[in-house]
Amino acid sequence: MSGQSITDRITAAQHSVTGSAISKTVCKATTHEIMGPKKKHLDYLIQCTNEMNVNIPQLADTLFERTTNTSWVVVFKSLTTTHHLMVYGNERFIQYLASRNTLFNLSNFLDKSGLQGYDMSTFIRRYSRYLNEKAVSYRQVAFDFTKVKRGSDGLMRTMNTEKLLKTIPIIQNQMDVLLDFNVNANELTNGVINAAFMLLFKDAIRLFAAYNEGIINLLEKYFDMKKVQCKDGLDIYKKFLTRMTRISEFLKVAEQVGIDRGDIPDLSQAPSSLLDALEQHLASLEGKKVKDSTAASRASTLSNAVSSLANTGISFTKVDEREKQAALEEEQARLKALKEQRLKELQKNPAMATTDSSPVSTVAGPINSAPAIDLFSTPSSTNSTSKAANDLLDLQPAFQQPLPLSATNTWGGFTASPTPQQAQNSRGLNVDFDSVFGNNTNANNLDSTVASSPNQGMTPNGQQPNKLVSSDLDSSLANLVGNLGIGNGTAKK
């Protein structure tokens, strides 16, 4: 089986139609191709976890839904994608997973489609158990052990005794489930399980680094603990020695599959004399007879053990720094490639540089600075006004805008006096309305008024405001009807 199946293409098309970009990306990251999830899909999902408007429960439910598939490839890639988001995504994602009662119910998963399906189903069941345990650990301590601050002032080194004795067993449980993956080098035969193993490898070294610092803090406080605390601390230290052996075997597998030796930390075993000193101290607290040991010898043994474990911690720190440096170099290489691609595009099309540098493109031709014609502006007698506007306004005197009144009108309102430009415009369109209606006296008054006082307000029919409207409305209308000759049907000559 190679390439995307028809089912993958149909499912992606369905999500494209519904407009769900997240569901489409999850589908593409968990196709039937026997290879790890593509980096571009993982990066997109990581970015989605950082966006506040993205529904994290919907994203998680989409991944859970993909784990119900019968194909081991789809289920394994869904688990790998979920693990990747838990490690590199926003903390909101793992917080939501920790808040759920159940995550992956794959304890009985089995793909019977082929021999490879039988083999991979075993690792799917183990891998799902680890992801469940990782979420449970976060729920118990409210932080991820693989992301805690390390060093002399780190979280595990500064934790008090009571909290330390409760926290270290949680790390031990998570470490046990991780090491139960129990894969050999000859079983890492495809890209799907290889991608999962790389995530488990990174979790293992970071988790053990936190575990190691917790043990250092425990040893420093051991000889000041109470009897019950010393008993619990001794049991924790014995389990730590066992897990150190198991993690060494896990790292050997990582070295066999081609992981760089510089990315694998060196584990330094604590001296065996330390265990004897711890047991003797507990026996002395219980009242048993023990060998006489001076405080100086005890302090020397403890110092040697802490120094050995600290060297292991330094080795883990170097691995982290190397990984960060590799990530920075990868990012710089990506930026350099983008710059080179941009320069090539600019060389092919130099106009793009001009367009980018200025919001006004010069490719479209010179900019016409001629003023636009405004057909609705007030006409002027100067030469700057276009001929088309003058012709339009000269067609009918009704286009002439009425001049506002300079005095108080009949309704008690006040209006501004006309400007000289408006007076000049009224002089340009000198229409004798009164001569049409037979009132030559008012026409003569209009000409004399415009010539003598251009700033005085006039009405469109040429009459003065105080003569246009009388004392009341009825007489004013009667006067207007008489002038128009509506009453007898004949106009005045």
Side-chain angles (χ1 to χ4, degrees):
M1 184 186 302
S2 62
Q4 296 185 18
S5 65
I6 298 177
T7 306
D8 295 331
R9 298 181 186 276
I10 293 175
T11 307
Q14 289 176 348
H15 292 310
S16 298
V17 171
T18 57
S20 178
I22 294 179
S23 300
K24 180 181 177 182
T25 306
V26 170
C27 177
K28 286 184 172 293
T30 58
T31 58
H32 288 78
E33 296 177 281
I34 304 181
M35 58 180 293
K38 293 183 179 179
K39 188 176 184 302
K40 61 180 181 179
H41 298 145
L42 295 176
D43 290 343
Y44 178 81
L45 293 176
I46 290 174
Q47 182 62 31
C48 288
T49 61
N50 293 320
E51 298 293 336
M52 297 305 297
N53 58 346
V54 171
N55 191 348
I56 297 296
Q58 180 184 357
L59 172 59
D61 291 340
T62 306
L63 290 169
F64 294 149
E65 182 181 356
R66 296 294 287 174
T67 60
T68 60
N69 198 289
T70 57
S71 173
W72 70 268
V73 181
V74 176
V75 176
F76 216 150
K77 293 173 75 171
S78 301
L79 296 176
T80 305
T81 303
T82 304
H83 191 185
H84 194 89
L85 295 181
M86 294 173 74
V87 175
Y88 299 105
N90 193 282
E91 195 171 2
R92 294 189 304 147
F93 185 78
I94 191 173
Q95 285 176 352
Y96 172 73
L97 297 183
S99 66
R100 292 175 61 102
N101 293 328
T102 57
L103 293 182
F104 301 105
N105 188 15
L106 300 172
S107 57
N108 298 322
F109 177 81
L110 182 61
D111 186 353
K112 301 179 181 180
S113 60
L115 181 60
Q116 191 177 25
Y118 276 95
D119 295 337
M120 293 297 108
S121 296
T122 302
F123 296 108
I124 287 175
R125 294 193 294 268
R126 296 173 182 174
Y127 195 22
S128 63
R129 283 186 57 231
Y130 170 71
L131 296 182
N132 289 340
E133 186 63 31
K134 185 179 177 70
V136 170
S137 298
Y138 189 93
R139 184 192 309 166
Q140 292 176 334
V141 297
F143 58 84
D144 189 354
F145 289 111
T146 62
K147 299 180 181 179
V148 296
K149 182 181 179 181
R150 297 199 296 269
S152 59
D153 58 344
L155 179 64
M156 299 302 297
R157 292 289 295 271
T158 58
M159 195 174 290
N160 58 50
T161 304
E162 291 78 8
K163 191 174 182 180
L164 184 66
L165 293 175
K166 293 179 181 178
T167 304
I168 293 181
I170 300 175
I171 303 180
Q172 289 177 341
N173 292 335
Q174 186 174 344
M175 179 64 69
D176 288 342
V177 179
L178 188 151
L179 297 175
D180 285 342
F181 192 73
N182 196 21
V183 64
N184 297 323
N186 55 1
E187 293 173 325
L188 299 174
T189 56
N190 57 77
V192 181
I193 191 173
N194 288 343
F197 180 78
M198 285 301 300
L199 291 173
L200 290 173
F201 168 73
K202 293 180 180 180
D203 266 16
I205 59 176
R206 293 169 181 170
L207 187 62
F208 191 81
Y211 191 13
N212 183 73
E213 292 195 346
I215 294 299
I216 294 176
N217 190 11
L218 177 68
L219 295 176
E220 292 175 346
K221 292 180 169 63
Y222 182 81
F223 293 101
D224 297 329
M225 292 180 183
K226 299 177 182 179
K227 182 174 67 175
V228 178
Q229 293 175 340
C230 286
K231 187 175 180 180
D232 294 337
L234 181 61
D235 184 59
I236 288 174
Y237 181 72
K238 289 180 179 179
K239 292 180 179 179
F240 171 75
L241 297 178
T242 304
R243 284 157 182 79
M244 180 173 283
T245 303
R246 295 186 63 189
I247 193 67
S248 299
E249 296 174 355
F250 184 85
L251 296 180
K252 288 179 181 179
V253 175
E255 186 176 359
Q256 291 173 3
V257 296
I259 295 179
D260 189 4
R261 188 67 184 86
D263 295 334
I264 300 176
D266 297 325
L267 302 181
S268 301
Q269 292 281 351
S272 58
S273 58
L274 176 62
L275 181 60
D276 296 335
L278 298 178
E279 291 176 344
Q280 290 179 7
H281 178 70
L282 178 61
S284 65
L285 293 178
E286 293 176 347
K288 297 178 181 180
K289 293 183 179 181
V290 295
K291 296 179 180 179
D292 295 334
S293 59
T294 61
S297 62
R298 227 171 24 182
S300 176
T301 303
L302 179 62
S303 176
N304 293 333
V306 171
S307 177
S308 299
L309 297 178
N311 291 334
T312 302
I314 294 174
S315 179
F316 283 113
T317 304
K318 291 180 179 179
V319 171
D320 284 347
E321 291 178 352
R322 191 177 294 108
E323 183 178 355
K324 292 179 181 179
Q325 185 64 27
L328 290 175
E329 292 177 356
E330 181 181 357
E331 187 68 21
Q332 290 176 356
R334 187 181 305 175
L335 291 175
K336 184 178 180 180
L338 291 175
K339 290 180 179 179
E340 293 177 353
Q341 181 180 0
R342 182 61 176 168
L343 290 176
K344 291 179 180 179
E345 293 177 355
L346 294 178
Q347 290 175 357
K348 292 180 180 179
N349 190 3
M352 294 177 62
T354 308
T355 306
D356 293 340
S357 61
S358 176
V360 180
S361 177
T362 58
V363 180
I367 300 175
N368 188 7
S369 60
I373 299 174
D374 189 0
L375 298 178
F376 301 99
S377 61
T378 304
S380 176
S381 59
T382 60
N383 294 330
S384 61
T385 307
S386 62
K387 185 178 183 298
N390 287 332
D391 292 341
L392 181 62
L393 293 173
D394 289 339
L395 290 177
Q396 183 62 252
F399 280 91
Q400 175 64 26
Q401 296 182 356
L403 298 176
L405 302 177
S406 60
T408 306
N409 59 18
T410 308
W411 310 104
F414 291 90
T415 56
S417 300
T419 61
Q421 181 66 24
Q422 291 174 337
Q424 185 179 1
N425 293 339
S426 64
R427 194 181 303 114
L429 291 177
N430 189 5
V431 182
D432 193 356
F433 290 99
D434 289 328
S435 62
V436 176
F437 294 105
N439 191 355
N440 296 327
T441 305
N442 291 335
N444 296 331
N445 292 337
L446 174 63
D447 294 336
S448 61
T449 303
V450 172
S452 61
S453 179
N455 293 329
Q456 184 177 357
M458 301 296 293
T459 59
N461 60 0
Q463 294 181 350
Q464 295 181 1
N466 56 356
K467 292 183 179 181
L468 179 63
V469 181
S470 182
S471 60
D472 58 357
L473 182 61
D474 294 335
S475 60
S476 198
L477 291 175
N479 187 17
L480 180 59
V481 170
N483 291 334
L484 295 177
I486 297 177
N488 53 9
T490 58
K492 291 183 180 181
K493 295 183 181 180

